[in-house]
Amino acid sequence: MSERAALPDLDTLNHEALKALIIAQHAQILSKDEQLLSKDEQLLRKEAQLASRDEEIERLKLLIAKLRRMQFGRKSEKLDWQIEQLELKLDELEASRAQQLAASPAPMAVSVVNRAAKRARQPLPAHLPRETHRVLPKQEVCPDCGGKLKQLGEDVSEMLEYVPEHFKVIRQARPKLACACGDKIVQAEAPSRPIERGMAGPGLLAHVLVSKYCDHLPLYRQSEIYAREGVELDRSTMAEWVGGCSRLLEPLVEALRRHVMSAEKLHADDTPVPVLAPGNGKTKTGRLWTYVRDDRPWGDRTPPAVWFAYTPDRKGEHPKAHLSKFTGTLQADGYAGYDAVYEAGRVKEAACMAHVRRSFYDLYEAHKSAVAKEALERIAALYTIEEEIRGRSAEERRGIRNARSRPLLESLKQWFEETLGKLSTKSDTTKAIRYALKRWDELMRFCNDGHLEIDNNAAERSLRAVVLGRKNYLFAGSDAGGARAAAIYGLIGTAKLNGLNPEAYLREVLSRIADHPINRIEELLPWNLAAELTGSSRRAA
């Protein structure tokens, strides 16, 4: 029982003292009432938001059904496109609802789940193979009297699982053991599941995530694929899984961010992501930012990693916030939004030779320009040296660059300046040369530091999956969907950088994370699980 403040002797208090005591007690009661009211208001507000989202989900389902009924005879491409966009929006809304529910207080989450679950869960398909896992209690004898235990019965639950190329059902049987001479019953606790009360096993969840974010298959298309295998998985169910997994993986993504930002050199880039604007069915342009830590080219053994961030626009405040605690060298393109990052002097700029080369490559492809051809040949000589020294120590790389690359760069600069005087000021070749000369000091920086690279290709490689996905499903369904994509892209990209199959990695993480201590979350980062993921699991997809 908690201690309470002792009440003063009321017989000794005068009129004014009694009045003051009553006023103080009344104020304390009002304060507690206001706190309780504030919590109730917050709870009601969240429930109202979820209810509004539920209504929007039902409205979209009806609209999709109506559009599908309109498809007859020769299909309209425009109508197909509208249905696909609405399906994607529906995926994002339902995933957002699941993620919000996972972060909400238990009473509200349960009440909303019960309200949203308008149909009973269907039994898992009978044709799938069953695999029974027996979960025995730790006690071998009766904990009360030490007597021998005998089986009294068992509780059985089923979980749909996916292993490469096929589904199966795992039956978790928990025998009930009773003491022969008493009334004691012993039974093991039910094993944790990645998503509480969910029917999906970690392998199936990993497969859905990788199919969506790595293989670029929207959930409604996955649903159609699984139906061909005799497994009916509703798109809305998978959307809830995606939202639940995103919430579950948040601490791991934060640990990944800390690892990336603790580097002394980073590669950064961004790419546009069309996002459905709420209310009008049109799209706006969000951004996915990538930050890559990869020091393997100079022989360092620190695990490589990539962290993604989503923002609703491309304002310079975003990279400034992302890099607020980073100190070192940033290799990036010439985007002006990075200027605020460099101003304080805490972060140095290193430019990208690949961006310089790309302009001349485009000119040569379009016009077979002799100037562009010579520029490409001169830059190619620099890359030949880089190939030779890849994997050597930073000091050795710096020495070779100063001896061999620096003279080539000085000659290239002189040739640029001489060529500039022979060209029209408005020509594309002039623009390409001026782009390089404007950033010359930053382009030369890699010669003086063997830790740096000649270009920013590490960041550009990390964005390839995003570009492919953008071609497949056109846009993210919401800002929340963009943030979820950023989180999963980071885990998948980092698994690949460490030579792991991302699906095998996520399967292992999702089988552990629910019971894993939060203060040891770094143990689940890809390189810390690499030794346990052997054979085909070690092959990056």
Side-chain angles (χ1 to χ4, degrees), residues 268-272 286-290 314 333 335 338 456 459 463:
D269 204 352
D270 68 287
T271 191
R287 308 297 294 195
L288 270 177
W289 305 80
T290 182
R314 204 194 184 198
D333 59 22
Y335 169 52
Y338 294 120
N456 193 38
L463 289 173

Side-chain angles (χ1 to χ4, degrees), residues 436-498:
L437 292 177
K438 183 180 179 181
R439 295 165 177 79
W440 199 257
D441 290 342
E442 289 75 22
L443 286 169
M444 292 284 292
R445 186 154 284 151
F446 81 103
C447 286
N448 294 324
D449 190 342
H451 301 93
L452 304 184
E453 297 304 302
I454 190 174
D455 56 34
N456 193 38
N457 283 350
E460 294 194 4
R461 285 192 297 270
S462 72
L463 289 173
R464 287 177 184 169
V466 178
V467 175
L468 286 172
R470 190 169 59 209
K471 288 180 180 178
N472 268 27
Y473 49 76
L474 304 182
F475 60 78
S478 65
D479 286 335
R484 273 193 299 276
I488 305 302
Y489 278 139
L491 292 174
I492 287 175
T494 301
K496 289 183 175 182
L497 284 174
N498 287 271

Side-chain angles (χ1 to χ4, degrees), residues 377-519:
E377 290 173 348
R378 286 172 176 264
I379 294 172
L382 295 169
Y383 274 88
T384 299
I385 297 171
E386 290 302 303
E387 285 297 321
E388 293 176 11
I389 64 176
R390 187 170 301 278
R392 300 191 189 184
S393 70
E395 187 60 30
E396 190 174 1
R397 279 156 53 104
R398 187 185 68 83
I400 293 174
R401 285 169 174 172
N402 276 313
R404 297 172 56 190
S405 300
R406 184 177 291 276
L408 294 178
L409 283 162
E410 290 172 350
S411 174
L412 177 61
K413 182 184 180 184
Q414 182 180 355
W415 178 75
F416 274 158
E417 292 170 340
E418 292 172 354
T419 303
L420 203 57
K422 305 173 185 178
L423 300 172
S424 166
T425 57
K426 295 183 179 180
S427 73
D428 291 334
T429 306
T430 297
K431 292 178 182 177
I433 292 175
R434 284 179 174 169
Y435 177 90
L437 292 177
K438 183 180 179 181
R439 295 165 177 79
W440 199 257
D441 290 342
E442 289 75 22
L443 286 169
M444 292 284 292
R445 186 154 284 151
F446 81 103
C447 286
N448 294 324
D449 190 342
H451 301 93
L452 304 184
E453 297 304 302
I454 190 174
D455 56 34
N456 193 38
N457 283 350
E460 294 194 4
R461 285 192 297 270
S462 72
L463 289 173
R464 287 177 184 169
V466 178
V467 175
L468 286 172
R470 190 169 59 209
K471 288 180 180 178
N472 268 27
Y473 49 76
L474 304 182
F475 60 78
S478 65
D479 286 335
R484 273 193 299 276
I488 305 302
Y489 278 139
L491 292 174
I492 287 175
T494 301
K496 289 183 175 182
L497 284 174
N498 287 271
L500 299 179
N501 179 327
E503 186 170 331
Y505 167 65
L506 286 176
R507 184 191 308 124
E508 187 68 20
V509 167
L510 291 169
S511 69
R512 298 186 185 194
I513 194 167
D515 295 321
H516 198 83
I518 191 69
N519 60 346

Side-chain angles (χ1 to χ4, degrees), residues 149-191:
L149 296 172
K150 61 180 181 180
Q151 185 161 338
L152 186 64
E154 65 181 15
D155 290 334
V156 177
S157 61
E158 292 192 334
M159 177 170 63
L160 184 64
E161 183 58 295
Y162 181 88
V163 293
E165 305 304 332
H166 71 275
F167 287 95
K168 66 179 180 181
V169 175
I170 293 179
R171 302 177 72 250
Q172 293 179 336
R174 296 183 296 125
K176 295 179 180 179
L177 305 179
C179 178
C181 59
D183 297 327
K184 188 70 175 180
I185 297 175
V186 175
Q187 186 180 34
E189 293 185 3

Side-chain angles (χ1 to χ4, degrees), residues 80-136:
D80 290 343
W81 184 87
Q82 289 176 331
I83 293 174
E84 287 183 355
Q85 309 318 299
L86 291 172
E87 291 276 17
L88 291 167
K89 182 180 180 182
L90 197 53
D91 287 352
E92 297 294 352
L93 281 172
E94 292 180 322
S96 295
R97 178 177 64 183
Q99 189 170 359
Q100 189 172 350
L101 285 174
S104 300
M108 186 191 77
V110 171
S111 67
V112 177
V113 167
N114 289 338
R115 185 172 68 238
K118 297 181 179 179
R119 62 183 182 279
R121 179 184 295 173
Q122 297 298 314
L124 295 175
H127 71 274
L128 295 179
R130 255 68 177 172
E131 182 178 300
T132 300
H133 293 182
R134 293 179 65 80
V135 185
L136 296 174

